[in-house]
Amino acid sequence: MTIRISETEKLKNDSAYQTFLNNNPGMGNVKVRATSASEAFPVSGVNVTVSKVIGDNTIIFFEGKTDESGMINGIKLPTPSKNTNDLEVPIFTTYNLRAVYNPDQFDKTYDIALCCGIGAVQYINITPKINPEVN
């Protein structure tokens, strides 16, 4: 089942989700940058969905579109706490980011790994579909 993060009543009683929150008390930040032509042109209107499978459910943490500069700023996502021991490998939480841009039939999914409350930038390069006109 797919549940949006805004559906708090469904998530309150989901033990897998509550365990996930307990294991991820930090907060990370993701920025999306959608461009075309090797980052020369921003692409607005790219539909972005950030989700994660938790237990038997797919939880949608964010849904939105890139702005006129091809950006989405400040997608906040739960992450593990910062590890104070520098000798241990940080623990990551992985999310799925799906980008869909219908004018060019672009549909791609990215894995985003976040740890320790850090920020990440996901670059999306959209190659335009060229349809030559036949006269």
Side-chain angles (χ1 to χ4, degrees):
M1 172 174 21
T2 300
I3 302 173
R4 286 172 174 68
I5 196 72
S6 60
E7 299 176 274
T8 54
E9 287 303 314
K10 289 182 183 177
L11 294 173
K12 277 184 186 176
N13 299 321
D14 187 311
S15 62
Y17 179 73
Q18 294 305 319
T19 300
F20 168 78
L21 287 181
N22 288 335
N23 293 336
N24 294 278
M27 196 61 68
N29 198 346
V30 175
K31 178 192 288 190
V32 175
R33 183 167 187 231
T35 60
S36 185
S38 298
E39 298 185 21
F41 300 106
V43 180
S44 64
V46 177
N47 293 306
V48 173
T49 305
V50 178
S51 64
K52 180 171 183 63
V53 176
I54 301 172
D56 295 331
N57 299 313
T58 299
I59 309 297
I60 297 175
F61 287 88
F62 175 83
E63 292 177 295
K65 292 184 179 198
T66 56
D67 62 16
E68 61 278 350
S69 61
M71 304 285 285
I72 298 175
N73 291 305
I75 301 172
K76 297 192 182 300
L77 301 169
T79 64
S81 297
K82 185 175 182 179
N83 189 345
T84 57
N85 185 347
D86 290 339
L87 299 176
E88 292 182 16
V89 176
I91 300 169
F92 289 84
T93 296
T94 304
Y95 293 89
N96 294 318
L97 185 147
R98 183 175 179 206
V100 177
Y101 188 62
N102 289 328
D104 290 321
Q105 289 117 25
F106 181 88
D107 188 342
K108 190 167 182 182
T109 302
Y110 304 86
D111 289 332
I112 300 173
L114 295 175
C115 76
C116 319
I118 62 167
V121 179
Q122 179 61 59
Y123 293 94
I124 300 170
N125 184 33
I126 299 174
T127 304
K129 298 278 186 202
I130 300 173
N131 295 324
E133 293 182 11
V134 179
N135 292 347

